[in-house]
Amino acid sequence: MYKKVYTHVCLTSGILLCTKMGILSAQQRCELYILSFNHVQEYSKGLGVAQLTSAIMICVTNISQARRPICRLEDVRHGETEAYHLEGCEHLDLAFADIKDSGAYALASQLDGNQGIKRIYLTGCGLSEDGASALTKGLRKSNIEELYLWKNDIGDEGAAKIAQHLKHHPTLRVLYVGYNNIGDRGCLHMAKLIELSDKIETLDLRGNSIGPDGAKALAAAIAKNKSLKKLYLFNNKIDDKGAAAIQEALESNEGLHTLHMHDNDVHPNKIREIMNQIVANKDKDRHDEL
């Protein structure tokens, strides 16, 4: 309990300090508080000081990244019109702006061929599968590196469209589609995305409805992928068989060094075995670098 409280105080203090300095918007504060809460939950389960330190560093990294130039809704859309003006934008933060599908369509038309925007936050924007499809279709010829689509209503069909549009993207490294009502069917398409991509480093699927079949599809993709470093699967419906498939895949993929699977239907002993495999892979990588 002490570790949990101490870590939360550290993370919260850092967020408040950056807010006071004018670095973070209200939307970013919300995102970072969610991040803080999730990491405190994860690392307060007796996993040790090293993991607590890692949690703090993750939040520090996100806070430092927030120093980069960011365009928000008031910067890119004027008046009641849904036309967007993205000139000079590198990071576009429309989190919780509730632009809905109509806004996604308008945004997609401006993103098509855009070479300047590297990161887009569309958390909690009221997007359905249609909005997500239009948006990612518009991103096919962009230089996007990070796309955050948390807390929308993309569903399985939307996940399929996202994977279809982004599976060969040359620059996309980070994709967050947590809390989007994605089940096994949608996860099959996400698995195909990481199987075909040699750029994706982080995939976030937390808070969906992914079960054993989705986990097995991800395992098959993980075994073939060489770029993925972080995979977030907590708060889904994965069972011991799905977890076992992922554990086996880790024997073929030694580059996946962050895997969060708590709050599934997986026995704690199986989670422990998977974490031990992750640690062993990290140690092997360090040894190979020497």
Side-chain angles (χ1 to χ4, degrees):
M1 181 63 185
Y2 171 78
K3 290 178 180 178
K4 182 174 182 178
V5 172
Y6 176 76
T7 307
H8 189 62
V9 168
C10 289
L11 295 172
T12 303
S13 298
I15 294 168
L16 290 175
L17 176 62
C18 285
T19 301
K20 188 174 182 180
M21 294 170 63
I23 294 171
L24 299 180
S25 67
Q27 291 91 342
Q28 289 170 317
R29 282 203 308 277
C30 184
E31 291 275 350
L32 287 172
Y33 279 130
I34 292 171
L35 181 68
S36 166
F37 177 76
N38 285 334
H39 281 291
V40 169
Q41 274 197 322
E42 165 119 5
Y43 293 120
S44 64
K45 295 182 178 179
L47 297 181
V49 175
Q51 289 88 342
L52 287 169
T53 303
S54 174
I56 294 171
M57 291 307 298
I58 288 169
C59 256
V60 169
T61 299
N62 279 271
I63 290 169
S64 66
Q65 288 175 339
R67 293 176 179 270
R68 300 172 183 174
I70 294 174
C71 294
R72 301 187 178 92
L73 185 64
E74 61 270 22
D75 301 318
V76 298
R77 197 175 77 182
H78 307 293
E80 297 300 320
T81 177
E82 286 195 334
Y84 292 87
H85 306 279
L86 304 179
E87 296 82 1
C89 285
E90 183 175 348
H91 300 156
L92 180 62
D93 182 1
L94 300 182
F96 304 105
D98 199 30
I99 64 171
K100 302 190 183 303
D101 287 346
S102 59
Y105 279 106
L107 184 59
S109 67
Q110 297 299 310
L111 289 171
D112 191 8
N114 184 293
Q115 302 299 304
I117 292 181
K118 308 296 184 185
R119 178 189 298 167
I120 299 177
Y121 293 94
L122 289 171
T123 298
C125 281
L127 305 186
S128 74
E129 62 185 73
D130 293 333
S133 176
L135 178 80
T136 51
K137 184 177 181 180
L139 288 172
R140 288 181 300 178
K141 297 178 182 179
S142 72
N143 285 333
I144 188 71
E145 295 178 3
E146 302 179 22
L147 179 60
Y148 298 83
L149 295 171
W150 265 18
K151 295 182 181 296
N152 286 287
D153 191 18
I154 292 170
D156 288 337
E157 294 301 324
K161 293 296 185 180
I162 290 172
Q164 176 185 340
H165 295 150
L166 300 179
K167 60 186 177 184
H168 295 299
H169 201 283
T171 60
L172 183 68
R173 298 183 297 102
V174 176
L175 178 61
Y176 275 57
V177 288
Y179 306 105
N180 266 296
N181 297 317
I182 297 172
D184 280 342
R185 194 157 55 89
C187 189
L188 294 178
H189 295 282
M190 288 289 108
K192 181 60 67 173
L193 170 67
I194 62 172
E195 178 183 331
L196 296 177
S197 173
D198 60 357
K199 295 293 183 181
I200 291 282
E201 297 176 2
T202 300
L203 178 62
D204 186 307
L205 288 164
R206 74 184 79 184
N208 284 298
S209 300
I210 298 167
D213 291 341
K216 291 175 184 177
L218 284 173
I222 289 169
K224 299 176 182 179
N225 177 279
K226 300 303 179 185
S227 64
L228 194 66
K229 298 178 181 178
K230 299 178 182 180
L231 179 60
Y232 299 96
L233 292 173
F234 54 84
N235 194 16
N236 276 285
K237 298 179 179 179
I238 299 170
D239 64 6
D240 285 343
K241 291 182 179 179
I246 290 175
Q247 180 182 2
E248 183 177 350
L250 291 173
E251 297 177 4
S252 302
N253 186 331
E254 298 175 352
L256 183 59
H257 287 176
T258 300
L259 175 59
H260 294 183
M261 290 189 62
H262 61 275
D263 293 333
N264 281 282
D265 298 323
V266 182
H267 194 280
N269 288 342
K270 177 58 67 177
I271 294 288
R272 193 172 297 110
E273 290 175 7
I274 291 173
M275 293 302 101
N276 288 339
Q277 182 68 54
I278 291 285
V279 170
N281 286 351
K282 286 182 179 180
D283 289 343
K284 186 176 185 302
D285 273 0
R286 292 193 192 100
H287 182 269
D288 290 344
E289 289 173 1
L290 295 178

